[in-house]
Amino acid sequence: MICYLYPEPTYLIFSSDVPLLLYYSHIPTILLFLSIGLYVYFNDRHSLLNKLLLFISLCFSAWITISLIAWTIINAEIIAFIWPLFGVLAGLVSILCIYFVYVFLNKKDVPFSYKVAFTLLLLPLFLFAPTDLSVSGFDLTNCDSFAFEGIAYKVYYTLLGVLAMVWVLVLMVNGYRREVEEDVKKQILYVGIGIELFLFLFFSIVFLITYLVNLGILPDSRLEMYGLFGMVAFMFSIAFTSVKYKAFNVNLAAPVALVIGLWIFVFSLLFIRKIEIVQVIVSVTLFFLFIFGYALIKSIRREIRQRQEIERLAKRLKQANTRLRELDKQKSEFVSIASHQLRSPLTVISGYASMLREGGFGKLPAKAKESTERIYQSARLMTQSIEEYLNVSRIESGNMKYEKVDFNLRNEVERIANDSRQEAIKRGLLLMFKTDMTTSGIVNADVGKVVQAIHNLINNSLKYTPKGSVNVLVRDDQVKKRIYVEVIDTGIGMSEKTLNTIFQKFERADNAHKVNIQGTGLGLYMALKIIEAMGGTITASSEGEGKGSKFVLELPLLKCFGFEHLSFSGSII
Ligand code: ADP
């Protein structure tokens, strides 16, 4: 509006000579677009999709702002400055919509070639914006600010809008066809329709309405304002459907946007003075109230239903859990009874086999000697396994008894290492024992069970090390009041996956079977349970398969009894 007959507007946009509906259609639209864009963005700033939605809101809000200024301002210089921005912003909105749809469908950024194409398409708009090709002047005769826009420039950015509509349609149809999941298909359909209508209305506001006014088909360009209302609705639908299907990862966005929308629309009613337009405005507000209210109720109902479903599932899970615990207890009791029954006959078999192999019944022929040895070894292994099962069932039923006493852990470890040396020599391995102590290493624990756990760690290292060495190191930390037993070998090592499971019952690595056929997968489980009951823990680490393993057992130190120097002892075969 450039006319000496009109007064200068206050704050660039407030003038009494423009239709009031103009403010009602423009200002809430700007506020709504900005609040939706910013809300979605701040919920997850790293998501590319959220960033794109924010850019679309920013460009479109800027477009509406300059449209409002163009309606009210009477300063020719300002109009001459802002007019070319229409084309630039319209082009940006179109291209950003294509970008948005691509990322929405493919869940990844566009390829480099797309980015080049987008830049090339936008380049002419930026290059020619400050030239006569975009705006060459104004028609002052009818007090209107309709510019003499360069036809080529206008056609170009309008065509960009048409191109965006076609491009988005192709992307959406392809995405829809490719998708197999029904839920995602629906999501594509809703967002697709929303964005197409958004683009179509934008195209109508930017081009169609002015064109029809020029042809004399429409009386004036007021329809543009209704187009803006429509665009808000579609922006909502895009944000809402995307949120509903978790595309933006924002759960609260929809209800919050709806409530903000209602506030803004109802608040703006306060400024309506002319009775003729009250009907229009109340109808538009009612329309939005209906849509928002419906969506809000639906979303709340969905949330409530989901919560009820979760509560129902939690209850069932609890019941199932109780039943499982009962079954587990029954299983432990069964194992315990069965193991006890097996133990007595096995003791008899072992006893007689032992007497036979030691010549208690006279010298045996070579063949019989060999068979007796086999019977004896098998019975020994079986006794060990049964002992392990019994211990597991004791631990699980809470019947494991611990008798804690004060003892010197460092000395115990040295003794176990010495006892295991024979086995190491038999396997052709080097077994080293080292200490790095600042105290004498007294702990308060069940000595028999702790020894069993350490024995298990050293024994495992011997079993799972085909060649090389096993190092046992005892060290302490006076500040933390802990003592550590490290067992480090150069054996078959463990993968990341194996490391996560070895402390569970009956878990053995695939490579364990190759090196050591026998084994129950219970040793580490029990060792950990025992050490945990003493207030300590066991951790395992390995660089990977074939790269050796390291087990660290730690227990609380009882007292710090003075300093001992680093000592070293070992055996080399
Ligand atoms: P078992 O030795 O009877 O199989 P354990 O509970 O003692 O049962 O060990 C569980 C698994 O942990 C073993 O089967 C093996 O896969 C892995 N493991 C234990 N110690 C070592 C080690 N020193 N090196 C490589 N793997 C090991």
Side-chain angles (χ1 to χ4, degrees), residues 62-94:
W63 189 93
I64 308 171
T65 312
I66 59 169
S67 149
L68 191 58
I69 296 174
W71 269 89
T72 55
I73 206 84
I74 58 165
N75 182 324
E77 269 169 23
I78 297 184
I79 295 202
F81 174 73
I82 59 171
W83 205 274
L85 293 179
F86 279 127
V88 172
L89 290 169
L92 272 172
V93 169
S94 308

PDB file of all heavy atoms in Angstrom, residues 62-94:
ATOM      1  N   ALA A  62       8.653 -15.680   8.073  1.00  0.00           N
ATOM      2  CA  ALA A  62       9.246 -14.469   7.491  1.00  0.00           C
ATOM      3  C   ALA A  62       8.417 -14.010   6.301  1.00  0.00           C
ATOM      4  O   ALA A  62       8.168 -12.816   6.102  1.00  0.00           O
ATOM      5  CB  ALA A  62      10.681 -14.756   7.065  1.00  0.00           C
ATOM      6  N   TRP A  63       7.965 -14.982   5.509  1.00  0.00           N
ATOM      7  CA  TRP A  63       7.148 -14.654   4.325  1.00  0.00           C
ATOM      8  C   TRP A  63       5.851 -13.958   4.756  1.00  0.00           C
ATOM      9  O   TRP A  63       5.467 -12.931   4.199  1.00  0.00           O
ATOM     10  CB  TRP A  63       6.840 -15.939   3.549  1.00  0.00           C
ATOM     11  CG  TRP A  63       6.210 -15.677   2.221  1.00  0.00           C
ATOM     12  CD1 TRP A  63       6.860 -15.555   1.031  1.00  0.00           C
ATOM     13  CD2 TRP A  63       4.813 -15.494   1.952  1.00  0.00           C
ATOM     14  NE1 TRP A  63       5.963 -15.305   0.029  1.00  0.00           N
ATOM     15  CE2 TRP A  63       4.708 -15.260   0.569  1.00  0.00           C
ATOM     16  CE3 TRP A  63       3.672 -15.504   2.739  1.00  0.00           C
ATOM     17  CZ2 TRP A  63       3.480 -15.039  -0.054  1.00  0.00           C
ATOM     18  CZ3 TRP A  63       2.441 -15.278   2.134  1.00  0.00           C
ATOM     19  CH2 TRP A  63       2.353 -15.044   0.751  1.00  0.00           C
ATOM     20  N   ILE A  64       5.195 -14.481   5.803  1.00  0.00           N
ATOM     21  CA  ILE A  64       3.932 -13.867   6.254  1.00  0.00           C
ATOM     22  C   ILE A  64       4.211 -12.464   6.818  1.00  0.00           C
ATOM     23  O   ILE A  64       3.437 -11.533   6.602  1.00  0.00           O
ATOM     24  CB  ILE A  64       3.245 -14.719   7.345  1.00  0.00           C
ATOM     25  CG1 ILE A  64       3.095 -16.159   6.882  1.00  0.00           C
ATOM     26  CG2 ILE A  64       1.878 -14.164   7.670  1.00  0.00           C
ATOM     27  CD1 ILE A  64       2.641 -17.081   7.971  1.00  0.00           C
ATOM     28  N   THR A  65       5.336 -12.345   7.557  1.00  0.00           N
ATOM     29  CA  THR A  65       5.657 -11.037   8.148  1.00  0.00           C
ATOM     30  C   THR A  65       5.816  -9.984   7.053  1.00  0.00           C
ATOM     31  O   THR A  65       5.248  -8.893   7.143  1.00  0.00           O
ATOM     32  CB  THR A  65       6.964 -11.150   8.972  1.00  0.00           C
ATOM     33  OG1 THR A  65       6.858 -12.285   9.804  1.00  0.00           O
ATOM     34  CG2 THR A  65       7.190  -9.909   9.811  1.00  0.00           C
ATOM     35  N   ILE A  66       6.562 -10.322   6.004  1.00  0.00           N
ATOM     36  CA  ILE A  66       6.746  -9.283   4.969  1.00  0.00           C
ATOM     37  C   ILE A  66       5.448  -9.064   4.195  1.00  0.00           C
ATOM     38  O   ILE A  66       5.191  -7.965   3.710  1.00  0.00           O
ATOM     39  CB  ILE A  66       7.949  -9.559   4.036  1.00  0.00           C
ATOM     40  CG1 ILE A  66       7.806 -10.880   3.309  1.00  0.00           C
ATOM     41  CG2 ILE A  66       9.260  -9.440   4.743  1.00  0.00           C
ATOM     42  CD1 ILE A  66       8.842 -11.032   2.206  1.00  0.00           C
ATOM     43  N   SER A  67       4.614 -10.106   4.138  1.00  0.00           N
ATOM     44  CA  SER A  67       3.323  -9.918   3.472  1.00  0.00           C
ATOM     45  C   SER A  67       2.491  -8.898   4.263  1.00  0.00           C
ATOM     46  O   SER A  67       1.850  -8.017   3.701  1.00  0.00           O
ATOM     47  CB  SER A  67       2.620 -11.265   3.364  1.00  0.00           C
ATOM     48  OG  SER A  67       1.235 -11.126   3.422  1.00  0.00           O
ATOM     49  N   LEU A  68       2.553  -9.023   5.615  1.00  0.00           N
ATOM     50  CA  LEU A  68       1.817  -8.087   6.471  1.00  0.00           C
ATOM     51  C   LEU A  68       2.366  -6.667   6.303  1.00  0.00           C
ATOM     52  O   LEU A  68       1.604  -5.696   6.173  1.00  0.00           O
ATOM     53  CB  LEU A  68       1.980  -8.552   7.928  1.00  0.00           C
ATOM     54  CG  LEU A  68       1.094  -7.898   8.969  1.00  0.00           C
ATOM     55  CD1 LEU A  68      -0.371  -8.078   8.633  1.00  0.00           C
ATOM     56  CD2 LEU A  68       1.371  -8.530  10.338  1.00  0.00           C
ATOM     57  N   ILE A  69       3.687  -6.576   6.288  1.00  0.00           N
ATOM     58  CA  ILE A  69       4.307  -5.248   6.142  1.00  0.00           C
ATOM     59  C   ILE A  69       3.913  -4.638   4.797  1.00  0.00           C
ATOM     60  O   ILE A  69       3.591  -3.452   4.695  1.00  0.00           O
ATOM     61  CB  ILE A  69       5.844  -5.352   6.273  1.00  0.00           C
ATOM     62  CG1 ILE A  69       6.198  -5.818   7.689  1.00  0.00           C
ATOM     63  CG2 ILE A  69       6.516  -4.019   5.990  1.00  0.00           C
ATOM     64  CD1 ILE A  69       7.663  -6.103   7.905  1.00  0.00           C
ATOM     65  N   ALA A  70       3.899  -5.491   3.754  1.00  0.00           N
ATOM     66  CA  ALA A  70       3.558  -4.988   2.420  1.00  0.00           C
ATOM     67  C   ALA A  70       2.125  -4.434   2.369  1.00  0.00           C
ATOM     68  O   ALA A  70       1.826  -3.532   1.605  1.00  0.00           O
ATOM     69  CB  ALA A  70       3.729  -6.098   1.397  1.00  0.00           C
ATOM     70  N   TRP A  71       1.261  -5.009   3.210  1.00  0.00           N
ATOM     71  CA  TRP A  71      -0.129  -4.524   3.253  1.00  0.00           C
ATOM     72  C   TRP A  71      -0.211  -3.123   3.868  1.00  0.00           C
ATOM     73  O   TRP A  71      -1.020  -2.304   3.466  1.00  0.00           O
ATOM     74  CB  TRP A  71      -0.982  -5.461   4.116  1.00  0.00           C
ATOM     75  CG  TRP A  71      -1.647  -6.565   3.360  1.00  0.00           C
ATOM     76  CD1 TRP A  71      -1.145  -7.784   3.105  1.00  0.00           C
ATOM     77  CD2 TRP A  71      -2.954  -6.540   2.775  1.00  0.00           C
ATOM     78  NE1 TRP A  71      -2.030  -8.547   2.399  1.00  0.00           N
ATOM     79  CE2 TRP A  71      -3.163  -7.795   2.178  1.00  0.00           C
ATOM     80  CE3 TRP A  71      -3.965  -5.576   2.691  1.00  0.00           C
ATOM     81  CZ2 TRP A  71      -4.340  -8.126   1.509  1.00  0.00           C
ATOM     82  CZ3 TRP A  71      -5.136  -5.912   2.024  1.00  0.00           C
ATOM     83  CH2 TRP A  71      -5.316  -7.182   1.427  1.00  0.00           C
ATOM     84  N   THR A  72       0.606  -2.888   4.895  1.00  0.00           N
ATOM     85  CA  THR A  72       0.396  -1.665   5.686  1.00  0.00           C
ATOM     86  C   THR A  72       1.363  -0.526   5.370  1.00  0.00           C
ATOM     87  O   THR A  72       0.996   0.633   5.487  1.00  0.00           O
ATOM     88  CB  THR A  72       0.559  -1.990   7.184  1.00  0.00           C
ATOM     89  OG1 THR A  72       1.836  -2.584   7.360  1.00  0.00           O
ATOM     90  CG2 THR A  72      -0.526  -2.914   7.675  1.00  0.00           C
ATOM     91  N   ILE A  73       2.562  -0.862   4.983  1.00  0.00           N
ATOM     92  CA  ILE A  73       3.600   0.166   4.912  1.00  0.00           C
ATOM     93  C   ILE A  73       3.342   1.157   3.763  1.00  0.00           C
ATOM     94  O   ILE A  73       2.817   0.779   2.725  1.00  0.00           O
ATOM     95  CB  ILE A  73       4.998  -0.511   4.772  1.00  0.00           C
ATOM     96  CG1 ILE A  73       6.090   0.393   5.317  1.00  0.00           C
ATOM     97  CG2 ILE A  73       5.318  -0.856   3.353  1.00  0.00           C
ATOM     98  CD1 ILE A  73       6.235   0.256   6.790  1.00  0.00           C
ATOM     99  N   ILE A  74       3.719   2.413   4.006  1.00  0.00           N
ATOM    100  CA  ILE A  74       3.536   3.382   2.916  1.00  0.00           C
ATOM    101  C   ILE A  74       4.882   3.893   2.403  1.00  0.00           C
ATOM    102  O   ILE A  74       4.949   4.728   1.519  1.00  0.00           O
ATOM    103  CB  ILE A  74       2.655   4.575   3.364  1.00  0.00           C
ATOM    104  CG1 ILE A  74       3.286   5.269   4.567  1.00  0.00           C
ATOM    105  CG2 ILE A  74       1.234   4.150   3.661  1.00  0.00           C
ATOM    106  CD1 ILE A  74       2.682   6.639   4.810  1.00  0.00           C
ATOM    107  N   ASN A  75       5.918   3.343   2.985  1.00  0.00           N
ATOM    108  CA  ASN A  75       7.263   3.796   2.597  1.00  0.00           C
ATOM    109  C   ASN A  75       7.753   2.981   1.389  1.00  0.00           C
ATOM    110  O   ASN A  75       7.955   1.773   1.467  1.00  0.00           O
ATOM    111  CB  ASN A  75       8.175   3.573   3.812  1.00  0.00           C
ATOM    112  CG  ASN A  75       9.575   4.035   3.557  1.00  0.00           C
ATOM    113  OD1 ASN A  75      10.073   3.900   2.446  1.00  0.00           O
ATOM    114  ND2 ASN A  75      10.195   4.605   4.572  1.00  0.00           N
ATOM    115  N   ALA A  76       7.954   3.663   0.272  1.00  0.00           N
ATOM    116  CA  ALA A  76       8.311   2.981  -0.977  1.00  0.00           C
ATOM    117  C   ALA A  76       9.646   2.262  -0.871  1.00  0.00           C
ATOM    118  O   ALA A  76       9.822   1.175  -1.425  1.00  0.00           O
ATOM    119  CB  ALA A  76       8.352   3.992  -2.117  1.00  0.00           C
ATOM    120  N   GLU A  77      10.582   2.840  -0.122  1.00  0.00           N
ATOM    121  CA  GLU A  77      11.917   2.216  -0.039  1.00  0.00           C
ATOM    122  C   GLU A  77      11.837   0.862   0.666  1.00  0.00           C
ATOM    123  O   GLU A  77      12.459  -0.104   0.245  1.00  0.00           O
ATOM    124  CB  GLU A  77      12.867   3.127   0.726  1.00  0.00           C
ATOM    125  CG  GLU A  77      13.596   4.078  -0.204  1.00  0.00           C
ATOM    126  CD  GLU A  77      14.323   5.152   0.570  1.00  0.00           C
ATOM    127  OE1 GLU A  77      14.630   4.929   1.756  1.00  0.00           O
ATOM    128  OE2 GLU A  77      14.537   6.222  -0.027  1.00  0.00           O
ATOM    129  N   ILE A  78      11.065   0.843   1.769  1.00  0.00           N
ATOM    130  CA  ILE A  78      10.948  -0.437   2.499  1.00  0.00           C
ATOM    131  C   ILE A  78      10.268  -1.472   1.601  1.00  0.00           C
ATOM    132  O   ILE A  78      10.706  -2.622   1.495  1.00  0.00           O
ATOM    133  CB  ILE A  78      10.156  -0.265   3.820  1.00  0.00           C
ATOM    134  CG1 ILE A  78      10.926   0.677   4.737  1.00  0.00           C
ATOM    135  CG2 ILE A  78       9.930  -1.620   4.493  1.00  0.00           C
ATOM    136  CD1 ILE A  78      10.308   0.858   6.111  1.00  0.00           C
ATOM    137  N   ILE A  79       9.239  -1.057   0.913  1.00  0.00           N
ATOM    138  CA  ILE A  79       8.558  -2.022   0.035  1.00  0.00           C
ATOM    139  C   ILE A  79       9.499  -2.511  -1.058  1.00  0.00           C
ATOM    140  O   ILE A  79       9.568  -3.710  -1.360  1.00  0.00           O
ATOM    141  CB  ILE A  79       7.299  -1.387  -0.573  1.00  0.00           C
ATOM    142  CG1 ILE A  79       6.312  -1.096   0.556  1.00  0.00           C
ATOM    143  CG2 ILE A  79       6.679  -2.322  -1.603  1.00  0.00           C
ATOM    144  CD1 ILE A  79       4.890  -0.962   0.155  1.00  0.00           C
ATOM    145  N   ALA A  80      10.267  -1.588  -1.601  1.00  0.00           N
ATOM    146  CA  ALA A  80      11.188  -1.986  -2.673  1.00  0.00           C
ATOM    147  C   ALA A  80      12.217  -2.990  -2.136  1.00  0.00           C
ATOM    148  O   ALA A  80      12.669  -3.876  -2.852  1.00  0.00           O
ATOM    149  CB  ALA A  80      11.891  -0.757  -3.223  1.00  0.00           C
ATOM    150  N   PHE A  81      12.545  -2.843  -0.848  1.00  0.00           N
ATOM    151  CA  PHE A  81      13.533  -3.749  -0.268  1.00  0.00           C
ATOM    152  C   PHE A  81      12.938  -5.137   0.002  1.00  0.00           C
ATOM    153  O   PHE A  81      13.562  -6.164  -0.272  1.00  0.00           O
ATOM    154  CB  PHE A  81      14.069  -3.135   1.031  1.00  0.00           C
ATOM    155  CG  PHE A  81      14.979  -4.063   1.776  1.00  0.00           C
ATOM    156  CD1 PHE A  81      16.267  -4.334   1.320  1.00  0.00           C
ATOM    157  CD2 PHE A  81      14.537  -4.730   2.928  1.00  0.00           C
ATOM    158  CE1 PHE A  81      17.090  -5.213   1.986  1.00  0.00           C
ATOM    159  CE2 PHE A  81      15.359  -5.622   3.599  1.00  0.00           C
ATOM    160  CZ  PHE A  81      16.648  -5.850   3.121  1.00  0.00           C
ATOM    161  N   ILE A  82      11.714  -5.131   0.534  1.00  0.00           N
ATOM    162  CA  ILE A  82      11.186  -6.447   0.950  1.00  0.00           C
ATOM    163  C   ILE A  82      10.548  -7.234  -0.194  1.00  0.00           C
ATOM    164  O   ILE A  82      10.473  -8.451  -0.143  1.00  0.00           O
ATOM    165  CB  ILE A  82      10.176  -6.329   2.123  1.00  0.00           C
ATOM    166  CG1 ILE A  82       8.997  -5.457   1.732  1.00  0.00           C
ATOM    167  CG2 ILE A  82      10.833  -5.882   3.384  1.00  0.00           C
ATOM    168  CD1 ILE A  82       7.869  -5.492   2.772  1.00  0.00           C
ATOM    169  N   TRP A  83      10.105  -6.550  -1.226  1.00  0.00           N
ATOM    170  CA  TRP A  83       9.354  -7.269  -2.264  1.00  0.00           C
ATOM    171  C   TRP A  83      10.125  -8.444  -2.885  1.00  0.00           C
ATOM    172  O   TRP A  83       9.576  -9.555  -3.024  1.00  0.00           O
ATOM    173  CB  TRP A  83       8.868  -6.295  -3.335  1.00  0.00           C
ATOM    174  CG  TRP A  83       7.652  -6.844  -4.018  1.00  0.00           C
ATOM    175  CD1 TRP A  83       7.628  -7.695  -5.080  1.00  0.00           C
ATOM    176  CD2 TRP A  83       6.304  -6.636  -3.648  1.00  0.00           C
ATOM    177  NE1 TRP A  83       6.357  -8.018  -5.414  1.00  0.00           N
ATOM    178  CE2 TRP A  83       5.508  -7.383  -4.540  1.00  0.00           C
ATOM    179  CE3 TRP A  83       5.676  -5.889  -2.642  1.00  0.00           C
ATOM    180  CZ2 TRP A  83       4.117  -7.400  -4.473  1.00  0.00           C
ATOM    181  CZ3 TRP A  83       4.290  -5.908  -2.603  1.00  0.00           C
ATOM    182  CH2 TRP A  83       3.519  -6.663  -3.498  1.00  0.00           C
ATOM    183  N   PRO A  84      11.386  -8.266  -3.228  1.00  0.00           N
ATOM    184  CA  PRO A  84      12.106  -9.408  -3.840  1.00  0.00           C
ATOM    185  C   PRO A  84      12.222 -10.600  -2.894  1.00  0.00           C
ATOM    186  O   PRO A  84      12.429 -11.725  -3.341  1.00  0.00           O
ATOM    187  CB  PRO A  84      13.498  -8.838  -4.142  1.00  0.00           C
ATOM    188  CG  PRO A  84      13.337  -7.370  -4.116  1.00  0.00           C
ATOM    189  CD  PRO A  84      12.221  -7.055  -3.183  1.00  0.00           C
ATOM    190  N   LEU A  85      12.081 -10.321  -1.565  1.00  0.00           N
ATOM    191  CA  LEU A  85      12.221 -11.438  -0.617  1.00  0.00           C
ATOM    192  C   LEU A  85      11.087 -12.453  -0.745  1.00  0.00           C
ATOM    193  O   LEU A  85      11.241 -13.619  -0.387  1.00  0.00           O
ATOM    194  CB  LEU A  85      12.253 -10.916   0.827  1.00  0.00           C
ATOM    195  CG  LEU A  85      13.467 -10.075   1.212  1.00  0.00           C
ATOM    196  CD1 LEU A  85      13.351  -9.618   2.657  1.00  0.00           C
ATOM    197  CD2 LEU A  85      14.748 -10.906   1.063  1.00  0.00           C
ATOM    198  N   PHE A  86       9.950 -12.010  -1.268  1.00  0.00           N
ATOM    199  CA  PHE A  86       8.837 -12.953  -1.456  1.00  0.00           C
ATOM    200  C   PHE A  86       9.278 -14.165  -2.263  1.00  0.00           C
ATOM    201  O   PHE A  86       9.041 -15.301  -1.895  1.00  0.00           O
ATOM    202  CB  PHE A  86       7.675 -12.267  -2.192  1.00  0.00           C
ATOM    203  CG  PHE A  86       6.813 -11.441  -1.285  1.00  0.00           C
ATOM    204  CD1 PHE A  86       6.549 -10.105  -1.585  1.00  0.00           C
ATOM    205  CD2 PHE A  86       6.250 -11.983  -0.150  1.00  0.00           C
ATOM    206  CE1 PHE A  86       5.751  -9.335  -0.764  1.00  0.00           C
ATOM    207  CE2 PHE A  86       5.442 -11.211   0.683  1.00  0.00           C
ATOM    208  CZ  PHE A  86       5.199  -9.883   0.377  1.00  0.00           C
ATOM    209  N   GLY A  87       9.941 -13.861  -3.379  1.00  0.00           N
ATOM    210  CA  GLY A  87      10.364 -14.935  -4.284  1.00  0.00           C
ATOM    211  C   GLY A  87      11.382 -15.833  -3.622  1.00  0.00           C
ATOM    212  O   GLY A  87      11.293 -17.066  -3.680  1.00  0.00           O
ATOM    213  N   VAL A  88      12.372 -15.216  -2.939  1.00  0.00           N
ATOM    214  CA  VAL A  88      13.446 -15.994  -2.312  1.00  0.00           C
ATOM    215  C   VAL A  88      12.841 -16.931  -1.249  1.00  0.00           C
ATOM    216  O   VAL A  88      13.134 -18.127  -1.213  1.00  0.00           O
ATOM    217  CB  VAL A  88      14.480 -15.043  -1.658  1.00  0.00           C
ATOM    218  CG1 VAL A  88      15.486 -15.823  -0.841  1.00  0.00           C
ATOM    219  CG2 VAL A  88      15.173 -14.216  -2.724  1.00  0.00           C
ATOM    220  N   LEU A  89      11.963 -16.364  -0.392  1.00  0.00           N
ATOM    221  CA  LEU A  89      11.392 -17.178   0.689  1.00  0.00           C
ATOM    222  C   LEU A  89      10.458 -18.259   0.142  1.00  0.00           C
ATOM    223  O   LEU A  89      10.462 -19.399   0.626  1.00  0.00           O
ATOM    224  CB  LEU A  89      10.650 -16.289   1.686  1.00  0.00           C
ATOM    225  CG  LEU A  89      11.577 -15.407   2.526  1.00  0.00           C
ATOM    226  CD1 LEU A  89      10.785 -14.360   3.289  1.00  0.00           C
ATOM    227  CD2 LEU A  89      12.384 -16.253   3.505  1.00  0.00           C
ATOM    228  N   ALA A  90       9.690 -17.915  -0.892  1.00  0.00           N
ATOM    229  CA  ALA A  90       8.790 -18.919  -1.481  1.00  0.00           C
ATOM    230  C   ALA A  90       9.610 -20.078  -2.039  1.00  0.00           C
ATOM    231  O   ALA A  90       9.277 -21.254  -1.833  1.00  0.00           O
ATOM    232  CB  ALA A  90       7.943 -18.282  -2.572  1.00  0.00           C
ATOM    233  N   GLY A  91      10.709 -19.744  -2.730  1.00  0.00           N
ATOM    234  CA  GLY A  91      11.580 -20.786  -3.292  1.00  0.00           C
ATOM    235  C   GLY A  91      12.151 -21.654  -2.188  1.00  0.00           C
ATOM    236  O   GLY A  91      12.160 -22.888  -2.267  1.00  0.00           O
ATOM    237  N   LEU A  92      12.612 -20.999  -1.094  1.00  0.00           N
ATOM    238  CA  LEU A  92      13.201 -21.756   0.022  1.00  0.00           C
ATOM    239  C   LEU A  92      12.183 -22.710   0.646  1.00  0.00           C
ATOM    240  O   LEU A  92      12.497 -23.868   0.924  1.00  0.00           O
ATOM    241  CB  LEU A  92      13.693 -20.779   1.096  1.00  0.00           C
ATOM    242  CG  LEU A  92      15.119 -20.261   0.923  1.00  0.00           C
ATOM    243  CD1 LEU A  92      15.405 -19.161   1.936  1.00  0.00           C
ATOM    244  CD2 LEU A  92      16.128 -21.387   1.109  1.00  0.00           C
ATOM    245  N   VAL A  93      10.949 -22.217   0.849  1.00  0.00           N
ATOM    246  CA  VAL A  93       9.917 -23.086   1.447  1.00  0.00           C
ATOM    247  C   VAL A  93       9.698 -24.310   0.550  1.00  0.00           C
ATOM    248  O   VAL A  93       9.648 -25.451   1.021  1.00  0.00           O
ATOM    249  CB  VAL A  93       8.595 -22.309   1.676  1.00  0.00           C
ATOM    250  CG1 VAL A  93       7.463 -23.263   2.047  1.00  0.00           C
ATOM    251  CG2 VAL A  93       8.767 -21.270   2.771  1.00  0.00           C
ATOM    252  N   SER A  94       9.598 -24.085  -0.772  1.00  0.00           N
ATOM    253  CA  SER A  94       9.351 -25.209  -1.695  1.00  0.00           C
ATOM    254  C   SER A  94      10.462 -26.245  -1.607  1.00  0.00           C
ATOM    255  O   SER A  94      10.207 -27.442  -1.465  1.00  0.00           O
ATOM    256  CB  SER A  94       9.255 -24.709  -3.137  1.00  0.00           C
ATOM    257  OG  SER A  94       8.336 -23.673  -3.213  1.00  0.00           O
TER     258      SER A  94
END
